[in-house]
Amino acid sequence: MKIVMAVIKPFKLEEVRDALTALGVHGLTVTEVKGYGRQKGHTEIYRGAEYAVSFLPKLKIEVAVASELVAKVIDAISAAAKTGQIGDGKIFVTPIETAVRIRTGERDGDAL
């Protein structure tokens, strides 16, 4: 089992969710986050004044999947979240040692 964490642009959430649903991924967690990468923020002009925006709004999506689905999930997120512009985001994959469904007590693969 693996957890796939993706940091994406907020307006791409529905496309990513639809792509994951098409793969049979049943649940995901979405968190509003702020950050920056290589672009180090940007400047905006509001009412004639220029403002530096250091931290850009992003969404962090976390999905727990079976190890054999990881490549498909990465491909689906990459395709759905890509705009071709700087700041499209990143995907990270980490192992899950164990998972437990609280309601039923199911463990590991059955808990997903």
Side-chain angles (χ1 to χ4, degrees):
M1 295 179 306
K2 306 279 185 185
I3 190 154
V4 179
M5 181 181 65
V7 179
I8 64 168
K9 292 183 176 184
F11 63 88
K12 287 298 204 169
L13 177 61
E14 289 303 315
E15 292 176 48
V16 170
R17 186 180 62 88
D18 292 343
L20 292 174
T21 302
L23 282 178
V25 174
H26 298 295
L28 59 100
T29 302
V30 178
T31 310
E32 292 181 7
V33 295
K34 291 185 178 206
Y36 69 89
R38 291 183 180 164
Q39 78 271 22
K40 296 187 177 59
H42 67 276
T43 57
E44 290 184 359
I45 298 175
Y46 178 72
R47 294 190 177 185
E50 196 170 287
Y51 296 94
V53 179
S54 298
F55 295 98
L56 303 173
K58 302 284 186 172
L59 292 179
K60 180 171 72 171
I61 299 171
E62 295 172 303
V63 182
V65 296
S67 296
E68 54 271 7
L69 273 181
V70 170
K72 289 181 182 179
V73 168
I74 290 172
D75 292 342
I77 293 172
S78 296
K82 185 175 183 173
T83 66
Q85 303 295 317
I86 193 164
D88 274 353
K90 299 250 184 337
I91 299 173
F92 305 98
V93 179
T94 57
I96 297 176
E97 219 172 283
T98 190
V100 179
R101 184 184 306 264
I102 295 172
R103 180 177 53 88
T104 61
E106 294 171 299
R107 292 188 170 270
D108 299 329
D110 293 334
L112 299 181

mmCIF file of all heavy atoms in Angstrom, residues 2 4 16-29 61-66 68-74 76-77 112:
data_model
loop_
_atom_site.group_PDB
_atom_site.id
_atom_site.type_symbol
_atom_site.label_atom_id
_atom_site.label_comp_id
_atom_site.label_asym_id
_atom_site.label_seq_id
_atom_site.Cartn_x
_atom_site.Cartn_y
_atom_site.Cartn_z
ATOM 1 N N LYS A 2 0.385 2.258 -0.656
ATOM 2 C CA LYS A 2 1.111 3.524 -0.759
ATOM 3 C C LYS A 2 0.133 4.671 -0.553
ATOM 4 O O LYS A 2 -1.065 4.530 -0.783
ATOM 5 C CB LYS A 2 1.746 3.689 -2.140
ATOM 6 C CG LYS A 2 2.633 2.555 -2.582
ATOM 7 C CD LYS A 2 3.988 2.651 -1.984
ATOM 8 C CE LYS A 2 4.863 1.544 -2.579
ATOM 9 N NZ LYS A 2 6.156 1.503 -1.964
ATOM 10 N N VAL A 4 -0.387 8.414 -2.035
ATOM 11 C CA VAL A 4 0.014 9.327 -3.098
ATOM 12 C C VAL A 4 -0.472 10.711 -2.697
ATOM 13 O O VAL A 4 -1.661 10.924 -2.473
ATOM 14 C CB VAL A 4 -0.596 8.910 -4.458
ATOM 15 C CG1 VAL A 4 -0.183 9.885 -5.549
ATOM 16 C CG2 VAL A 4 -0.191 7.492 -4.821
ATOM 17 N N VAL A 16 -9.074 16.255 -11.467
ATOM 18 C CA VAL A 16 -8.292 15.211 -10.800
ATOM 19 C C VAL A 16 -9.225 14.211 -10.120
ATOM 20 O O VAL A 16 -9.033 12.999 -10.218
ATOM 21 C CB VAL A 16 -7.299 15.827 -9.790
ATOM 22 C CG1 VAL A 16 -6.654 14.757 -8.933
ATOM 23 C CG2 VAL A 16 -6.240 16.639 -10.523
ATOM 24 N N ARG A 17 -10.252 14.708 -9.439
ATOM 25 C CA ARG A 17 -11.198 13.814 -8.766
ATOM 26 C C ARG A 17 -11.899 12.907 -9.770
ATOM 27 O O ARG A 17 -12.043 11.708 -9.540
ATOM 28 C CB ARG A 17 -12.241 14.617 -7.984
ATOM 29 C CG ARG A 17 -13.171 13.727 -7.154
ATOM 30 C CD ARG A 17 -14.177 14.560 -6.390
ATOM 31 N NE ARG A 17 -15.045 15.319 -7.265
ATOM 32 C CZ ARG A 17 -16.187 14.852 -7.769
ATOM 33 N NH1 ARG A 17 -16.595 13.641 -7.502
ATOM 34 N NH2 ARG A 17 -16.925 15.619 -8.545
ATOM 35 N N ASP A 18 -12.309 13.454 -10.900
ATOM 36 C CA ASP A 18 -12.964 12.648 -11.933
ATOM 37 C C ASP A 18 -12.026 11.591 -12.490
ATOM 38 O O ASP A 18 -12.430 10.446 -12.724
ATOM 39 C CB ASP A 18 -13.480 13.546 -13.064
ATOM 40 C CG ASP A 18 -14.631 14.440 -12.621
ATOM 41 O OD1 ASP A 18 -15.237 14.167 -11.568
ATOM 42 O OD2 ASP A 18 -14.907 15.427 -13.331
ATOM 43 N N ALA A 19 -10.756 11.947 -12.683
ATOM 44 C CA ALA A 19 -9.778 10.985 -13.202
ATOM 45 C C ALA A 19 -9.540 9.855 -12.207
ATOM 46 O O ALA A 19 -9.436 8.678 -12.596
ATOM 47 C CB ALA A 19 -8.464 11.696 -13.518
ATOM 48 N N LEU A 20 -9.482 10.175 -10.916
ATOM 49 C CA LEU A 20 -9.278 9.142 -9.899
ATOM 50 C C LEU A 20 -10.511 8.262 -9.747
ATOM 51 O O LEU A 20 -10.394 7.047 -9.574
ATOM 52 C CB LEU A 20 -8.905 9.787 -8.563
ATOM 53 C CG LEU A 20 -7.535 10.463 -8.522
ATOM 54 C CD1 LEU A 20 -7.339 11.198 -7.210
ATOM 55 C CD2 LEU A 20 -6.424 9.453 -8.750
ATOM 56 N N THR A 21 -11.682 8.850 -9.838
ATOM 57 C CA THR A 21 -12.922 8.074 -9.759
ATOM 58 C C THR A 21 -13.006 7.087 -10.917
ATOM 59 O O THR A 21 -13.447 5.953 -10.736
ATOM 60 C CB THR A 21 -14.146 9.011 -9.762
ATOM 61 O OG1 THR A 21 -14.036 9.912 -8.652
ATOM 62 C CG2 THR A 21 -15.440 8.233 -9.636
ATOM 63 N N ALA A 22 -12.575 7.506 -12.098
ATOM 64 C CA ALA A 22 -12.580 6.618 -13.263
ATOM 65 C C ALA A 22 -11.655 5.418 -13.059
ATOM 66 O O ALA A 22 -11.895 4.347 -13.627
ATOM 67 C CB ALA A 22 -12.168 7.392 -14.511
ATOM 68 N N LEU A 23 -10.627 5.576 -12.231
ATOM 69 C CA LEU A 23 -9.714 4.464 -11.932
ATOM 70 C C LEU A 23 -10.253 3.539 -10.851
ATOM 71 O O LEU A 23 -9.686 2.490 -10.602
ATOM 72 C CB LEU A 23 -8.366 5.001 -11.455
ATOM 73 C CG LEU A 23 -7.402 5.529 -12.497
ATOM 74 C CD1 LEU A 23 -6.147 6.050 -11.814
ATOM 75 C CD2 LEU A 23 -7.044 4.458 -13.501
ATOM 76 N N GLY A 24 -11.315 3.961 -10.177
ATOM 77 C CA GLY A 24 -11.865 3.160 -9.101
ATOM 78 C C GLY A 24 -11.355 3.545 -7.729
ATOM 79 O O GLY A 24 -11.541 2.806 -6.766
ATOM 80 N N VAL A 25 -10.713 4.697 -7.629
ATOM 81 C CA VAL A 25 -10.260 5.195 -6.328
ATOM 82 C C VAL A 25 -11.483 5.759 -5.612
ATOM 83 O O VAL A 25 -12.154 6.641 -6.131
ATOM 84 C CB VAL A 25 -9.165 6.273 -6.494
ATOM 85 C CG1 VAL A 25 -8.803 6.889 -5.155
ATOM 86 C CG2 VAL A 25 -7.946 5.673 -7.161
ATOM 87 N N HIS A 26 -11.767 5.236 -4.413
ATOM 88 C CA HIS A 26 -13.030 5.566 -3.747
ATOM 89 C C HIS A 26 -12.954 6.726 -2.776
ATOM 90 O O HIS A 26 -13.963 7.324 -2.458
ATOM 91 C CB HIS A 26 -13.563 4.337 -3.014
ATOM 92 C CG HIS A 26 -13.859 3.207 -3.932
ATOM 93 N ND1 HIS A 26 -14.838 3.248 -4.894
ATOM 94 C CD2 HIS A 26 -13.265 2.004 -4.075
ATOM 95 C CE1 HIS A 26 -14.864 2.110 -5.564
ATOM 96 N NE2 HIS A 26 -13.907 1.341 -5.093
ATOM 97 N N GLY A 27 -11.773 7.053 -2.275
ATOM 98 C CA GLY A 27 -11.710 8.126 -1.304
ATOM 99 C C GLY A 27 -10.435 8.923 -1.435
ATOM 100 O O GLY A 27 -9.410 8.414 -1.882
ATOM 101 N N LEU A 28 -10.527 10.193 -1.064
ATOM 102 C CA LEU A 28 -9.348 11.038 -1.060
ATOM 103 C C LEU A 28 -9.549 12.134 -0.039
ATOM 104 O O LEU A 28 -10.670 12.431 0.355
ATOM 105 C CB LEU A 28 -9.052 11.616 -2.447
ATOM 106 C CG LEU A 28 -10.117 12.484 -3.117
ATOM 107 C CD1 LEU A 28 -9.769 13.951 -2.958
ATOM 108 C CD2 LEU A 28 -10.164 12.151 -4.586
ATOM 109 N N THR A 29 -8.451 12.713 0.393
ATOM 110 C CA THR A 29 -8.483 13.807 1.345
ATOM 111 C C THR A 29 -7.919 15.042 0.660
ATOM 112 O O THR A 29 -6.884 14.963 0.004
ATOM 113 C CB THR A 29 -7.634 13.475 2.588
ATOM 114 O OG1 THR A 29 -8.140 12.280 3.177
ATOM 115 C CG2 THR A 29 -7.687 14.597 3.603
ATOM 116 N N ILE A 61 -3.801 16.840 -2.198
ATOM 117 C CA ILE A 61 -4.678 15.678 -2.299
ATOM 118 C C ILE A 61 -3.906 14.470 -1.800
ATOM 119 O O ILE A 61 -2.770 14.242 -2.225
ATOM 120 C CB ILE A 61 -5.127 15.442 -3.747
ATOM 121 C CG1 ILE A 61 -5.902 16.642 -4.264
ATOM 122 C CG2 ILE A 61 -5.950 14.169 -3.864
ATOM 123 C CD1 ILE A 61 -6.194 16.586 -5.735
ATOM 124 N N GLU A 62 -4.514 13.691 -0.924
ATOM 125 C CA GLU A 62 -3.898 12.467 -0.433
ATOM 126 C C GLU A 62 -4.808 11.295 -0.748
ATOM 127 O O GLU A 62 -6.008 11.342 -0.459
ATOM 128 C CB GLU A 62 -3.649 12.560 1.069
ATOM 129 C CG GLU A 62 -2.634 13.630 1.422
ATOM 130 C CD GLU A 62 -2.518 13.863 2.907
ATOM 131 O OE1 GLU A 62 -3.556 14.183 3.522
ATOM 132 O OE2 GLU A 62 -1.411 13.702 3.431
ATOM 133 N N VAL A 63 -4.224 10.250 -1.349
ATOM 134 C CA VAL A 63 -4.978 9.081 -1.749
ATOM 135 C C VAL A 63 -4.204 7.836 -1.308
ATOM 136 O O VAL A 63 -3.026 7.701 -1.640
ATOM 137 C CB VAL A 63 -5.159 9.031 -3.289
ATOM 138 C CG1 VAL A 63 -5.982 7.836 -3.694
ATOM 139 C CG2 VAL A 63 -5.780 10.302 -3.795
ATOM 140 N N ALA A 64 -4.853 6.956 -0.574
ATOM 141 C CA ALA A 64 -4.242 5.680 -0.193
ATOM 142 C C ALA A 64 -4.695 4.627 -1.209
ATOM 143 O O ALA A 64 -5.888 4.449 -1.432
ATOM 144 C CB ALA A 64 -4.666 5.285 1.211
ATOM 145 N N VAL A 65 -3.723 3.962 -1.832
ATOM 146 C CA VAL A 65 -4.040 2.971 -2.874
ATOM 147 C C VAL A 65 -3.163 1.741 -2.720
ATOM 148 O O VAL A 65 -2.115 1.770 -2.077
ATOM 149 C CB VAL A 65 -3.842 3.556 -4.299
ATOM 150 C CG1 VAL A 65 -4.800 4.690 -4.557
ATOM 151 C CG2 VAL A 65 -2.426 4.009 -4.522
ATOM 152 N N ALA A 66 -3.602 0.653 -3.358
ATOM 153 C CA ALA A 66 -2.795 -0.558 -3.419
ATOM 154 C C ALA A 66 -1.551 -0.268 -4.262
ATOM 155 O O ALA A 66 -1.591 0.543 -5.192
ATOM 156 C CB ALA A 66 -3.601 -1.688 -4.033
ATOM 157 N N GLU A 68 -0.067 -1.784 -6.597
ATOM 158 C CA GLU A 68 -0.152 -2.005 -8.044
ATOM 159 C C GLU A 68 -0.897 -0.889 -8.788
ATOM 160 O O GLU A 68 -0.828 -0.807 -10.003
ATOM 161 C CB GLU A 68 -0.769 -3.368 -8.366
ATOM 162 C CG GLU A 68 -2.100 -3.638 -7.736
ATOM 163 C CD GLU A 68 -2.016 -4.285 -6.355
ATOM 164 O OE1 GLU A 68 -0.918 -4.412 -5.798
ATOM 165 O OE2 GLU A 68 -3.084 -4.626 -5.828
ATOM 166 N N LEU A 69 -1.611 -0.023 -8.065
ATOM 167 C CA LEU A 69 -2.341 1.082 -8.699
ATOM 168 C C LEU A 69 -1.557 2.387 -8.741
ATOM 169 O O LEU A 69 -1.992 3.349 -9.385
ATOM 170 C CB LEU A 69 -3.645 1.352 -7.949
ATOM 171 C CG LEU A 69 -4.878 0.559 -8.340
ATOM 172 C CD1 LEU A 69 -6.062 0.977 -7.499
ATOM 173 C CD2 LEU A 69 -5.196 0.730 -9.801
ATOM 174 N N VAL A 70 -0.402 2.436 -8.090
ATOM 175 C CA VAL A 70 0.321 3.689 -7.932
ATOM 176 C C VAL A 70 0.661 4.337 -9.275
ATOM 177 O O VAL A 70 0.434 5.528 -9.469
ATOM 178 C CB VAL A 70 1.591 3.484 -7.075
ATOM 179 C CG1 VAL A 70 2.467 4.716 -7.105
ATOM 180 C CG2 VAL A 70 1.210 3.156 -5.648
ATOM 181 N N ALA A 71 1.186 3.586 -10.202
ATOM 182 C CA ALA A 71 1.581 4.156 -11.499
ATOM 183 C C ALA A 71 0.378 4.751 -12.232
ATOM 184 O O ALA A 71 0.470 5.841 -12.812
ATOM 185 C CB ALA A 71 2.260 3.102 -12.357
ATOM 186 N N LYS A 72 -0.759 4.044 -12.190
ATOM 187 C CA LYS A 72 -1.961 4.552 -12.859
ATOM 188 C C LYS A 72 -2.474 5.821 -12.188
ATOM 189 O O LYS A 72 -2.926 6.755 -12.856
ATOM 190 C CB LYS A 72 -3.054 3.487 -12.863
ATOM 191 C CG LYS A 72 -2.764 2.328 -13.784
ATOM 192 C CD LYS A 72 -3.893 1.326 -13.747
ATOM 193 C CE LYS A 72 -3.572 0.138 -14.641
ATOM 194 N NZ LYS A 72 -4.627 -0.875 -14.608
ATOM 195 N N VAL A 73 -2.409 5.862 -10.855
ATOM 196 C CA VAL A 73 -2.860 7.038 -10.116
ATOM 197 C C VAL A 73 -1.963 8.235 -10.433
ATOM 198 O O VAL A 73 -2.451 9.349 -10.672
ATOM 199 C CB VAL A 73 -2.905 6.747 -8.595
ATOM 200 C CG1 VAL A 73 -3.079 8.025 -7.787
ATOM 201 C CG2 VAL A 73 -4.030 5.774 -8.278
ATOM 202 N N ILE A 74 -0.664 8.014 -10.474
ATOM 203 C CA ILE A 74 0.268 9.095 -10.806
ATOM 204 C C ILE A 74 -0.012 9.619 -12.211
ATOM 205 O O ILE A 74 -0.065 10.833 -12.437
ATOM 206 C CB ILE A 74 1.724 8.619 -10.677
ATOM 207 C CG1 ILE A 74 2.075 8.410 -9.205
ATOM 208 C CG2 ILE A 74 2.686 9.623 -11.319
ATOM 209 C CD1 ILE A 74 3.418 7.751 -8.988
ATOM 210 N N ALA A 76 -2.820 9.447 -13.901
ATOM 211 C CA ALA A 76 -4.124 10.113 -13.931
ATOM 212 C C ALA A 76 -4.037 11.514 -13.336
ATOM 213 O O ALA A 76 -4.572 12.478 -13.902
ATOM 214 C CB ALA A 76 -5.161 9.280 -13.182
ATOM 215 N N ILE A 77 -3.358 11.647 -12.199
ATOM 216 C CA ILE A 77 -3.220 12.970 -11.569
ATOM 217 C C ILE A 77 -2.409 13.896 -12.462
ATOM 218 O O ILE A 77 -2.775 15.054 -12.675
ATOM 219 C CB ILE A 77 -2.572 12.846 -10.171
ATOM 220 C CG1 ILE A 77 -3.515 12.121 -9.213
ATOM 221 C CG2 ILE A 77 -2.224 14.230 -9.622
ATOM 222 C CD1 ILE A 77 -2.898 11.779 -7.871
ATOM 223 N N LEU A 112 -8.834 -0.232 2.628
ATOM 224 C CA LEU A 112 -8.881 0.781 1.588
ATOM 225 C C LEU A 112 -10.179 0.653 0.837
ATOM 226 O O LEU A 112 -10.770 1.542 0.360
ATOM 227 C CB LEU A 112 -7.709 0.642 0.614
ATOM 228 C CG LEU A 112 -6.321 0.789 1.237
ATOM 229 C CD1 LEU A 112 -5.266 0.649 0.161
ATOM 230 C CD2 LEU A 112 -6.168 2.119 1.945
#
